[in-house]
Amino acid sequence: MPAGRARSLAFCLASFLLAAPAGAGEAGDTILILDASGSMWGSLGGETKIEAARRATHDILATWPPEMRIGLMSYGHRRKADCADIEMLAPVAPLDAAALGKAVDGLTPKGKTPISDALTMAAAQLKAQEGRANIILVSDGIETCKGDPCAVAESLKANDIGLTAHVIGFDIGDAKTRAQLQCIAQKTGGEYFDAKDADGLKDALGKATGAARGEEVEGDAPEEDAETGNLRLTFALAEGLDPIVTQQAIAEFGWKVEPAAGGDTREYFSSVVGAFLEPGDYAVSVEFGNAKAETRVSVPAKGQAEANLILDAGFVTAAARPVVAEEGADGAGQFYWRVSTAAAPDETLNYSFDSRPRFILPAGDYVLKVTRDDLANAEQPLRVEPGDTLQPMVDLKAGLIVLEAEGASLVTAESADRLTSIPVSGPVVKRAANAGSYRISAWFGDGDPVVSDIAVEAGKTVTVTMKPR
């Protein structure tokens, strides 16, 4: 929002708060605002940023000072491209860690980053007067709803609202974004913390909690304004969504910038590019997973050109339904995932060996296939729309083989359509398997194997004990 509108809104809010009855707020009341915009599906050290944020939040709730009341707010978690998508998930109240944790676990990043309006709504909830009232904001990106969070923060403080905002920049890879978040803390007398990964977020949340409690905590010093060049490039999953901004240099994305008149092509592997180039026209392309976008830009002799490329793609984070409840944490878990287009289902477009893989796919129709432990297979159709954050759960409809064959040099499982070797790494081996008939053969040395014929039923466990003769 424009600075004038922000100041007017803050002034009205201040008048409301100052007229509130005494005792409406208590010192130390805190609202935790968690960013759940679409960019929180970004990858961070083998997990998504929203997964890292959930874990860190659970950890901090477990040690939250019992004398401090807490509320929970989030934005961008219900609708795409909706700047009004801000929700007070839990009002300010004595700590209920279980309820807050459940609310955090239910966040599904989808939309925009309306920081300015979130700050204003949180201030209204706190009804700050005498003593301390705090906001702890965790954000991985810049305001994307035409607001000015820095101006809002300044107005709230200037109108004598006793509010302090402590801000955590989570995986911030852009100087412009960091400067905006630092300004919120600075204008309200709070502290700013950088969190580069999940452990850093947990540490920053702990420091921010201490600062909200009134402890002497030193935040991260503001960085000098960095020159960002005469060309700034960002990309987004879909029109109207936040750019994907991260400081992680990962193989999922890469830029190419080529002079239109010919010459050397420059490559970049950061999500936000700040380049110094000779004035002229350039062909720009970005690849993110299996998605790609391209455009042409003109770099001026003075000033800066900006381009935000639209991928028209979606995030797909897949999982396979557990075989049986008894499987446990030490159960079978060797996965092979494949994605094919619906038009060419036998051709692999992308693959992963992770238990919960993430794919970035252009909008379209696909077939998602998974093999688990070589014996369980399943597939399902998948449709991706621009900006989607899908979490398909593939049902293997399989059972579990619990094999006891300690000392065997070789074990195989043979069905009507395949023969699979089962490595024996301990006294008990667990393998998921599609429903059907299997012949289990175990060799304990020279001579014929020990053989057992079994039937596997979906959702059930069958135990096979193999011993030498």
Side-chain angles (χ1 to χ4, degrees):
M1 79 181 62
R5 179 187 163 198
R7 293 176 188 276
S8 177
L9 180 60
F11 179 79
C12 293
L13 176 62
S15 300
F16 163 73
L17 294 178
L18 291 173
E26 296 179 11
D29 282 3
T30 299
I31 289 180
L32 174 62
I33 305 177
L34 290 180
D35 185 339
S37 61
S39 57
M40 286 291 284
W41 280 115
S43 181
L44 190 69
E47 64 181 341
T48 62
K49 289 193 276 187
I50 187 62
E51 289 171 332
R54 288 174 186 144
R55 288 199 297 108
T57 303
H58 277 284
D59 289 342
I60 202 64
L61 290 175
T63 60
W64 188 265
E67 72 276 12
M68 288 176 59
R69 304 199 311 164
I70 180 174
L72 179 64
M73 177 183 286
S74 189
Y75 53 75
H77 58 291
R78 295 176 295 182
R79 297 179 294 275
K80 300 178 188 177
D82 185 354
C83 288
D85 185 12
I86 307 170
E87 183 181 11
M88 194 72 192
L89 298 170
V92 177
L95 175 67
D96 184 343
L100 294 177
K102 183 177 180 180
V104 170
D105 289 341
L107 295 175
T108 301
K110 293 180 180 178
K112 304 282 285 182
T113 306
I115 297 176
S116 298
D117 286 348
L119 290 173
T120 303
M121 288 177 62
Q125 289 286 329
L126 285 164
K127 298 184 176 70
Q129 301 178 78
E130 300 296 328
R132 290 194 307 276
N134 308 279
I135 290 172
I136 297 177
L137 169 66
V138 178
S139 178
D140 81 326
I142 201 168
E143 165 82 44
T144 57
C145 288
K146 299 182 180 180
D148 186 344
C150 189
V152 168
E154 184 177 21
S155 296
L156 292 173
K157 202 66 176 180
N159 284 286
D160 294 325
I161 295 177
L163 176 69
T164 303
H166 306 290
V167 183
I168 300 171
F170 186 30
D171 185 39
I172 301 300
D174 178 40
K176 183 177 180 181
T177 302
R178 181 178 288 106
Q180 184 185 85
L181 296 176
Q182 288 173 331
C183 184
I184 297 169
Q186 181 185 18
K187 295 297 184 181
T188 62
E191 300 290 344
Y192 173 82
F193 307 94
D194 261 320
K196 297 180 180 180
D197 52 27
D199 289 340
L201 179 58
K202 178 182 176 181
D203 182 63
L205 278 169
K207 291 179 179 178
T209 302
R213 196 179 187 181
E215 299 173 1
E216 291 292 330
V217 177
E218 185 175 352
D220 295 322
E223 296 182 358
E224 296 294 328
D225 290 338
E227 292 183 287
T228 56
N230 54 8
L231 175 63
R232 186 175 187 269
L233 302 173
T234 56
F235 66 89
L237 283 182
E239 193 71 48
L241 296 190
D242 289 0
I244 302 295
V245 178
T246 176
Q247 61 181 327
Q248 304 294 312
I250 54 179
E252 284 182 322
F253 55 73
W255 293 88
K256 290 185 178 180
V257 179
E258 182 178 5
D264 294 337
T265 298
R266 296 194 181 193
E267 296 186 353
Y268 304 90
F269 298 96
S270 57
S271 60
V272 179
V273 174
F276 289 91
L277 302 175
E278 291 294 326
D281 295 330
Y282 291 84
V284 175
S285 65
V286 63
E287 293 188 19
F288 187 38
N290 289 101
K292 182 177 181 179
E294 54 189 13
T295 190
R296 298 180 73 89
V297 297
S298 294
V299 176
K302 294 183 179 180
Q304 184 186 64
E306 294 190 31
N308 182 46
L309 279 66
I310 305 300
L311 293 171
D312 285 328
F315 283 126
V316 176
T317 304
R321 192 180 304 279
V323 180
V324 289
E326 294 84 356
E327 182 181 352
D330 63 340
Q334 298 177 14
F335 289 87
Y336 176 40
W337 292 85
R338 290 163 290 163
V339 176
S340 304
T341 63
D346 295 329
E347 298 179 11
T348 299
L349 178 68
N350 206 338
Y351 65 91
S352 174
F353 296 101
D354 293 337
S355 60
R356 297 188 68 243
R358 188 187 72 158
F359 303 103
I360 300 96
L361 301 173
D365 293 310
Y366 299 89
V367 178
L368 181 63
K369 306 175 184 179
V370 59
T371 298
R372 184 171 184 175
D373 303 329
D374 295 326
L375 294 172
N377 298 275
E379 64 179 59
Q380 71 179 49
L382 183 70
R383 181 168 184 81
V384 178
E385 300 286 353
D388 272 349
T389 52
L390 303 179
Q391 301 179 74
M393 177 68 73
V394 181
D395 190 351
L396 287 165
K397 296 180 180 178
L400 189 69
I401 298 174
V402 177
L403 174 65
E404 300 175 5
E406 189 172 14
S409 58
L410 174 65
V411 177
T412 62
E414 183 177 6
S415 64
D417 59 353
R418 79 192 80 148
L419 176 64
T420 303
S421 174
I422 302 178
V424 178
S425 55
V428 177
V429 176
K430 299 178 182 180
R431 286 292 180 269
N434 289 128
S437 298
Y438 295 84
R439 169 160 288 189
I440 309 299
S441 302
W443 283 262
F444 290 92
D446 297 334
D448 295 334
V450 178
V451 176
S452 179
D453 292 320
I454 64 170
V456 175
E457 297 182 49
K460 295 185 178 181
T461 297
V462 57
T463 300
V464 186
T465 300
M466 315 288 284
K467 295 181 179 180
R469 291 189 178 93

